[in-house]
Amino acid sequence: MPLILFNKPFQVLCQFSPQEGRATLADHLTIPGIYPAGRLDADSEGLLLLTDDGRLQHDISHPDRKEAKTYLVQVDGVPDAASLARLQAPLDLGDFTTLPCKAVRIAEPDWLWPRNPPIRSRADKPTSWLAITLKEGKNRQVRRMTAAVGLPTLRLVRSAIGPFSLASHPLLPGEWCEVPAAAIGKA
């Protein structure tokens, strides 16, 4: 089976098994036998890859062979050069130290859908957008990284995994498409 690209909506759990009162992948995908290759927490949105091929799932998500992942992050505040440098360098988060990554300030992407519910806005506190690309993916890592440098995450959207991106495969939240899996590992 080809690889499934899915735009996971905000507050959808990254599992197929039902959870009372919570939306899951089963509410959006009815393809039998597929499983996510990696996860996104319920508070995060964006690109998720799914497959029925156990070897491919392993290749995408195994720590030794992880594909680069890019996250678009709306943060509370405006990063300075020192904050961006700290994000890019190994950052001690207490229980682990991150690997070096790429972190740059960007304009809000014009292709990005509005979040439902919307992010709160405060006239006295500006927000900014960052693009953070990393090859690891520990639990809530990006949120913990931005908080550690004084820029709490307001919105987190995974926009790319390896060669696949929501910019080149425009999917609205809850939409999916099939793509050939041959591109994995060639980015």
Side-chain angles (χ1 to χ4, degrees):
M1 164 177 275
L3 194 60
I4 303 298
L5 275 58
F6 175 61
N7 186 347
K8 187 191 88 62
F10 180 69
Q11 291 299 306
V12 169
L13 297 178
C14 202
Q15 64 188 41
F16 282 98
S17 53
Q19 177 130 0
E20 189 173 328
R22 302 291 304 266
T24 69
L25 297 176
D27 294 309
H28 300 278
L29 296 158
T30 58
I31 304 164
I34 60 170
Y35 298 94
R39 302 183 73 76
L40 277 174
D41 63 41
D43 295 332
S44 300
E45 314 164 65
L47 188 60
L48 185 65
L49 303 181
L50 300 102
T51 182
D52 66 349
D53 182 332
R55 178 179 221 109
L56 179 60
Q57 183 183 23
H58 176 79
D59 287 347
I60 294 168
S61 58
H62 190 276
D64 293 338
R65 293 188 279 241
K66 283 205 172 189
E67 294 284 337
K69 296 170 185 70
T70 300
Y71 298 85
L72 305 179
V73 190
Q74 184 180 16
V75 295
D76 205 356
V78 179
D80 57 16
S83 298
L84 291 174
R86 284 187 64 209
L87 284 170
Q88 293 180 65
L91 186 59
D92 184 353
L93 297 178
D95 55 338
F96 73 97
T97 299
T98 65
L99 296 174
C101 70
K102 182 179 177 186
V104 295
R105 187 168 175 200
I106 61 169
E108 181 176 354
D110 58 2
W111 55 266
L112 193 60
W113 57 90
R115 197 187 84 180
N116 185 16
I119 298 294
R120 61 106 184 110
S121 76
R122 296 187 330 211
D124 64 331
K125 186 81 170 176
T127 67
S128 305
W129 283 87
L130 305 174
I132 298 177
T133 302
L134 41 93
K135 282 205 165 197
E136 59 188 335
K138 306 253 195 303
N139 188 34
R140 299 182 73 83
Q141 179 175 340
V142 173
R143 292 175 188 283
R144 292 177 64 196
M145 289 170 64
T146 63
V149 301
L151 299 165
T153 294
L154 299 173
R155 185 176 182 192
L156 182 65
V157 179
R158 183 161 57 199
S159 63
I161 301 172
F164 304 109
S165 76
L166 290 175
S168 60
H169 292 87
L171 299 167
L172 292 174
E175 293 182 342
W176 60 273
C177 69
E178 294 183 22
V179 296
I184 285 292
K186 296 182 178 159

